[in-house]
């Protein structure tokens, strides 16, 4: 079964999914084994790898290392074409639907094809929607786009549905890595109500209460990065 089919099956069984995000730019590769051992005994279901700015070979080195220690699917969540490696299981083929920079809507995708066409990587088209979290995020800086306002839920909702109509298989609502304010239940709930495809939520989720609240609001898969980077004992509260 593909990673995407597994996600659909989990949702069908009313299971909630949790991805641990590792940014190759910030994560010392020698810490991989100890870190992944903690991931393995936690409720995490996926490992996402990616960052806004990452050195050319760093992603592949890290993915190879992660793969030594876990059976969990490794999902590329790339900030750029250089982060694509066939050592991972699946690639989120992200379109930044909240922005109007054509590079991040189609340009980078065309650039990626020579790298992708001879691999067995599963490719999942994903609508990526950045929402204002009160501070300028790395995504905003790198892509030169503005996030959607969190007060305009209608636009957020319409953007997500437009992504679905364009054929995206996932929608990722993003508050930005290390966001001071995670997305509200209201935004998550309103988007989820209208969507027929799985909903990923991430950015600024730092504890189990916020995680539960995102699930209750309708997130199918939650992504957490910074909270694990800053405090690995967070895993202790998320044991299987
Ligand atoms: C960032 O949504 C992810 O792209 C995770 O955010 O690092 O704030 O957990 P955090």
């Amino acid at each position: 079964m593909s990673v995407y089919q597994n996600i659909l099956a989990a949702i069908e069984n009313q299971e909630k999914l949790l991805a641990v995000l590792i940014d190759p730019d910030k994560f010392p590769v020698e810490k991989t084994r100890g870190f992944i051992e903690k991931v393995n005994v936690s409720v995490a279901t996926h490992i996402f790898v990616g960052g806004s700015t990452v050195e050319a070979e760093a992603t592949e080195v890290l993915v190879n290392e992660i793969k030594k220690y876990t059976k969990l699917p490794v999902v590329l969540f790339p900030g750029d074409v250089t982060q694509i490696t066939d050592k991972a299981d699946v690639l989120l083929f992200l379109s930044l639907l909240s922005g109007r920079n054509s590079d991040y809507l189609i340009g980078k995708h065309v650039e990626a094809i020579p790298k992708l066409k001879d691999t067995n990587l599963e490719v999942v088209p994903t609508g990526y929607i950045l929402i204002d979290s009160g501070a300028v995020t790395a995504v905003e800086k790198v892509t030169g786009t503005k996030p959607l306002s969190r007060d305009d839920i209608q636009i957020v909702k319409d953007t997500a549905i437009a992504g679905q109509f364009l054929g995206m298989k996932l929608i990722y609502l993003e508050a930005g890595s290390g966001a001071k304010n995670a997305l509200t239940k209201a935004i998550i709930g309103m988007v989820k109500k209208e969507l027929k495809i799985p909903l990923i939520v991430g950015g600024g989720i730092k504890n189990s209460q916020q995680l539960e609240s995102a699930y209750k609001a309708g997130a199918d898969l939650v992504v957490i990065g910074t909270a694990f980077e800053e405090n690995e004992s967070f895993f202790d509260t998320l044991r299987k």
Side-chain angles (χ1 to χ4, degrees):
M1 230 199 299
S2 68
V3 174
Y4 184 69
Q5 283 169 334
N6 267 317
I7 291 175
L8 294 181
I11 294 170
E12 187 70 29
N13 292 334
Q14 300 190 342
E15 290 162 25
K16 292 296 186 182
L17 303 165
L18 173 65
V20 177
L21 171 65
I22 308 179
D23 182 340
D25 189 48
K26 297 187 195 151
F27 186 81
V29 76
E30 60 278 7
K31 282 180 65 184
T32 308
R33 183 178 187 161
F35 189 85
I36 296 298
E37 279 167 358
K38 290 192 173 146
V39 176
N40 287 337
V41 293
S42 79
V43 294
T45 52
H46 295 77
I47 297 173
F48 279 23
V49 178
S52 297
T53 47
V54 176
E55 253 180 66
E57 307 301 320
T59 304
E60 184 156 309
V61 170
L62 180 62
V63 169
N64 275 331
E65 196 62 13
I66 293 170
K67 281 293 209 180
K68 283 189 204 163
Y69 305 113
T70 189
K71 292 199 166 62
L72 292 177
V74 176
V75 180
L76 295 175
F77 170 53
D80 210 337
V81 181
T82 56
Q83 294 175 41
I84 296 175
T85 163
D86 61 359
K87 304 297 184 296
D89 298 294
V90 50
L91 165 70
L92 299 185
F93 207 46
L94 300 166
S95 287
L96 183 62
L97 301 180
S98 50
R100 296 295 176 268
N101 181 343
S102 59
D103 280 351
Y104 293 89
L105 287 162
I106 180 66
K108 300 275 181 190
H109 311 70
V110 177
E111 259 180 65
I113 299 309
K115 269 194 117 167
L116 276 178
K117 67 178 187 346
D118 297 322
T119 72
N120 289 323
L121 257 184
E122 182 185 336
V123 178
V124 180
T126 302
Y128 188 51
I129 302 176
L130 182 64
I131 301 183
D132 181 36
S133 64
V136 178
T137 60
V139 180
E140 211 177 318
K141 279 191 216 151
V142 170
T143 63
T145 65
K146 288 274 161 243
L148 299 181
S149 161
R150 61 174 60 204
D151 298 327
D152 199 344
I153 293 186
Q154 190 64 45
I155 291 290
V156 176
K157 229 165 48 174
D158 290 352
T159 305
I161 298 168
Q164 177 179 295
F165 284 177
L166 277 167
M168 306 288 164
K169 293 199 171 150
L170 297 169
I171 292 293
Y172 191 141
L173 283 188
E174 171 74 277
S177 186
K180 218 170 3 156
N181 304 304
L183 293 174
T184 61
K185 282 174 91 168
I187 295 184
I188 300 170
M190 294 293 272
V191 171
K192 177 65 187 175
K193 218 169 80 184
E194 306 279 335
L195 271 190
K196 293 193 170 63
I197 51 177
L199 179 63
I200 303 178
V201 171
I205 296 173
K206 297 180 200 78
N207 54 50
S208 311
Q209 287 83 347
Q210 286 177 309
L211 176 61
E212 278 313 312
S213 147
Y215 285 146
K216 274 208 190 105
D220 297 303
L221 188 157
V222 170
V223 184
I224 301 181
T226 308
F228 292 125
E229 265 166 37
E230 288 178 351
N231 173 21
E232 286 184 23
S233 63
F234 183 24
F235 284 116
D236 300 336
T237 63
L238 297 172
R239 285 172 96 82
K240 271 181 205 157

